[in-house]
Amino acid sequence: MTFIGRLRPLLIAWPAAGLAAGAAAHLAGHETLAATLWTAASVPVLVVLAIEIAVSLRRGDFGLDIVAALSMSAALAAGESLAAAIVALMYASGQILESFAARRARQEMSALLSRVPRTAMRHHEGRLEEVALDQLEPGDRVLIRRGDVVPVDGAISDSVAVLDQSALTGESLPVRLKSGDTALSGSTNAGDAFDLVATRRAADSTYAGIVRLVASAQASRPPMARMADRYALVFLAATLVLAGLAGWLTGDPVRVVAVLVVATPCPLILAVPVALMSGLSRAARAGILIKSGKALEVLAQVRALVIDKTGTLTDGEARIVDMRVSAGIEPAEMLRIAASLDQASKHIIAETLVAAAREQGLVLSVPAYVEETPGEGISGHVDGRTVSVGGFRYVAGRVGEEQLNDLSRAREPGAAAVAVAIDGKAAGVIIFADVLRPGTEKLLRDLRAAGIERLVLATGDRADVARLISHGLGLDLVRAEMTPDQKVLAVLSERKHGPVMMVGDGVNDAPALAAADVGVAMGARGAAASSEAADVVLLVDQLDRILPAIAIARRSRRIAVQSVVAGMGLSILAMLAAAGGYLLPVEGALLQEAIDVAVIFNALRALRG
């Protein structure tokens, strides 16, 4: 905290005490003493204000604090010491009120930071030990007690966990996870204690990424606040012209003081940062991290959306979408036997097949006599039966192509197929594909209804895959087989329709996210390039967070503009009344204080909704 920042409480206490003492002297009939006390109450605040203005001007910042300094100086010069003391108290209390409002608006983001766990209970050689988070390694087993914040990303081990993920997703209802399911760091254990097997180091986990991004967001300054400073020059000129006209036409210096007093301080520099910071806080509560006020302001105005496919429109993971079996075998049994053998393989499709079997509750056997041909297939024994799992060519080499002909009919573009043979006979085929996220069609319709005029798919995948996945989605344009630099060009070409939002999740999306007017990354794990390049990060991989992000941004910006227009309008009306002699300096000071308080509390409405 700066030296002047530490003086803030004293700067309120001093003019408050001076006002009270001067009022007592005035009531006792000691007018000269009262004026002296009121002047003494004003001068220290004026000196501090002058220092702050000088420092700001040296940095190149220009604000409406100059109007406050002019009004206090003019009031003291005109002998309106009471008005000067009221302005001094009003200015000091306005600064404290703005700081309080900003702290109130930041509380959701600060809550994310305050929840960071420092230690974890790790199983080690048959006992529990409390260790610092940076000592945890992938594979460590950690005890998560009731009420603990999950310290690292990991898998639930041999139990059921009930987790409160509201800090990440904004959803109030806890989720129930079973053995093998992934638990995200930052979740809170709302049920019984359970063990977690770490899959990432703490520094690379979801919550650590969120904390880094929150710290970055808190350090930013809203652009509308900077814009307010630029408008300060215009408002200052208008104030001086009106005050000068009042003095020139009437010859009454009191009217000049009244005009200056009623223009101090301007709601423009109070309401805007409070409203935008409130919007950032409200978004964080909904599982959306908006890194800066600039991103929030642009998000409120987007008219075009460019979206990646893999991991964005789709889950980014292959899933079983179909199984074709030969006569005499049940699909579940074929899947169980194939998955049992695939436990011995580290191929991504094999791991997906094993995970799918376990999700269905199938009991897998231990394979024996396993032989794997990397990239082609795997063979071995399961429950005494000879089993082969792999590509068509691999399995056909063991059972003959004629057995697979009926099962190997044309499949959809982008799908992968695994053939299964049992005891020398073709048992069936398992089809994998990366499918659309649930609710994608409705989300795109809702985005269109919310004013997004252009919906464009930009993917590096093949054209036939892109056409298949986008069929029926109502997209305006589908662009496939794109390199990262071509995605950047796609984003730039959409700017003719208005501000562009880009949504992606991969490293290859990072350049396009940075090029967009506002980039939105899916998830906040580790130091992924996409999360670093993006302006907005959805704290969990839920595409539907985009809608509330836009709604919050638009509401926050609307409230900021409303506060400015209402506050400035009232200030201008009061200035005209003061110029016409209908407001004395003291009355103008009190009225302006009421206006400032009103616009700040109106700006805080952005926290709700």
Side-chain angles (χ1 to χ4, degrees):
M1 182 183 291
T2 65
F3 173 72
I4 291 180
R6 288 191 291 269
L7 285 178
R8 294 281 186 213
L10 180 60
L11 288 180
I12 287 183
W14 183 267
L19 272 170
H26 173 72
L27 292 174
H30 303 294
E31 298 297 338
T32 302
L33 178 60
T36 301
L37 290 171
W38 287 330
T39 299
S42 309
V43 170
V45 177
L46 180 58
V47 170
V48 171
L49 180 55
I51 294 172
E52 287 189 326
I53 291 171
V55 172
S56 297
L57 290 175
R58 192 175 299 118
R59 291 198 309 261
D61 294 337
F62 185 91
L64 285 170
D65 291 346
I66 293 176
V67 180
L70 286 176
S71 66
M72 274 189 277
S73 302
L76 290 174
E80 294 284 343
S81 56
L82 176 56
I86 292 175
V87 171
L89 179 61
M90 178 181 66
Y91 173 78
S93 61
Q95 297 296 305
I96 293 293
L97 181 59
E98 183 183 4
S99 298
F100 164 77
R103 288 196 302 272
R104 171 73 177 85
R106 288 177 185 264
Q107 68 179 8
E108 299 298 335
M109 299 175 75
S110 299
L112 284 171
L113 297 177
S114 66
R115 296 176 67 256
V116 178
R118 306 297 177 189
T119 61
M121 299 298 292
R122 181 174 65 183
H123 290 275
H124 182 67
E125 296 180 351
R127 60 187 178 86
L128 286 171
E129 58 178 3
E130 188 170 8
V131 297
L133 288 193
D134 58 8
Q135 296 182 33
L136 291 180
E137 297 291 339
D140 284 348
R141 184 181 293 268
V142 181
L143 174 66
I144 310 297
R145 299 162 295 187
R146 181 186 288 268
D148 279 354
V149 175
V150 177
V152 294
D153 293 346
I156 308 298
S157 174
D158 302 327
S159 59
V160 174
V162 180
L163 295 181
D164 176 2
Q165 296 182 326
S166 58
L168 303 178
T169 66
E171 300 295 335
S172 58
L173 295 178
V175 297
R176 186 179 181 87
L177 303 179
K178 58 183 183 298
S179 177
D181 287 346
T182 298
L184 296 179
S185 56
S187 307
T188 302
N189 183 13
D192 295 331
F194 64 90
D195 283 346
L196 180 85
V197 177
T199 55
R200 292 172 177 261
R201 297 179 67 253
D204 299 327
S205 290
T206 300
Y207 202 61
I210 292 172
V211 168
R212 285 193 293 271
L213 295 171
V214 167
S216 173
Q218 288 194 327
S220 71
R221 186 183 180 199
M224 286 183 72
R226 293 193 295 268
M227 180 179 67
D229 292 341
R230 292 196 300 269
Y231 286 157
L233 182 60
V234 177
F235 186 79
L236 174 60
T239 300
L240 293 178
V241 167
L242 187 57
L245 285 174
W248 178 58
L249 293 175
T250 66
D252 185 358
V254 174
R255 295 197 185 188
V256 176
V257 174
V259 171
L260 292 174
V261 165
V262 84
T264 309
C266 177
L268 189 64
I269 61 173
L270 295 176
V272 171
V274 171
L276 294 189
M277 186 56 66
S278 297
L280 299 183
S281 178
R282 177 69 185 89
R285 196 189 316 162
I288 305 151
L289 183 59
I290 302 177
K291 293 184 181 180
S292 67
K294 176 183 178 181
L296 184 140
E297 186 180 359
V298 176
L299 185 60
Q301 303 173 74
V302 291
R303 289 295 177 268
L305 168 65
V306 178
I307 191 166
D308 177 49
K309 180 186 76 69
T310 305
T312 307
L313 277 184
T314 67
D315 288 321
E317 298 179 357
R319 293 185 179 183
I320 295 176
V321 296
D322 191 16
M323 285 195 291
R324 305 164 187 169
V325 297
S326 300
I329 186 168
E330 293 294 325
E333 178 62 10
M334 181 186 71
L335 176 60
R336 187 193 73 81
I337 292 175
S340 295
L341 179 61
D342 266 348
Q343 291 177 104
S345 175
K346 294 189 69 174
H347 192 279
I348 184 63
I349 293 295
E351 292 178 349
T352 301
L353 195 149
V354 172
R358 285 177 174 160
E359 284 180 5
Q360 294 186 24
L362 301 178
V363 179
L364 305 185
S365 302
V366 178
Y369 308 109
V370 176
E371 294 182 1
E372 183 174 8
T373 303
E376 295 186 21
I378 186 171
S379 296
H381 288 187
V382 175
D383 297 337
R385 308 179 74 176
T386 302
V387 181
S388 296
V389 179
F392 281 100
R393 182 180 303 176
Y394 177 85
V395 174
R398 284 152 178 76
V399 301
E401 291 187 9
E402 64 279 357
Q403 291 195 40
L404 290 173
N405 286 340
D406 292 339
L407 298 172
S408 62
R409 59 185 180 271
R411 58 182 181 273
E412 294 175 337
V418 170
V420 181
I422 300 175
D423 291 333
K425 295 181 179 179
V429 173
I430 303 172
I431 309 296
F432 295 84
D434 187 12
V435 297
L436 278 175
R437 291 176 182 267
T440 298
E441 298 94 331
K442 182 179 184 302
L443 171 64
L444 295 179
R445 288 197 304 270
D446 290 345
L447 285 170
R448 185 85 72 180
I452 305 298
E453 299 167 358
R454 290 274 295 177
L455 298 174
V456 177
L457 174 65
T459 177
D461 219 331
R462 301 195 316 271
D464 55 351
V465 176
R467 282 194 300 270
L468 177 71
I469 207 73
S470 62
H471 179 70
L473 294 182
L475 299 174
D476 295 292
L477 182 63
V478 176
R479 307 184 71 169
E481 302 179 19
M482 304 194 77
T483 60
D485 58 326
Q486 288 174 331
K487 286 188 177 182
V488 171
L489 292 176
V491 167
L492 297 179
S493 68
E494 291 300 321
R495 280 204 174 136
K496 60 181 175 289
H497 301 288
V500 180
M501 174 169 60
M502 167 70 190
V503 183
D505 77 318
V507 173
N508 63 324
D509 295 322
L513 291 171
D517 295 290
V518 56
V520 179
M522 300 289 295
R525 290 186 176 178
S530 59
S531 294
E532 297 297 328
D535 305 293
V536 179
V537 180
L538 309 183
L539 298 185
V540 291
D541 289 335
Q542 294 180 0
L543 190 60
D544 62 359
R545 296 289 89 189
I546 294 176
L547 271 174
I550 294 174
I552 290 169
R554 289 179 176 175
R555 185 170 187 269
S556 301
R557 187 176 187 276
R558 185 169 61 250
I559 288 174
V561 173
Q562 285 174 352
S563 298
V564 168
V565 171
M568 295 291 289
L570 291 173
S571 294
I572 291 171
L573 289 176
M575 288 164 63
L576 292 172
Y582 299 105
L583 278 178
L584 296 176
V586 172
E587 297 168 339
L590 294 175
L591 177 60
Q592 185 59 53
E593 176 72 355
I595 293 173
D596 292 338
V597 171
V599 297
I600 286 179
F601 279 100
N602 181 66
L604 282 172
R605 288 193 303 116
L607 280 171
R608 304 188 301 272

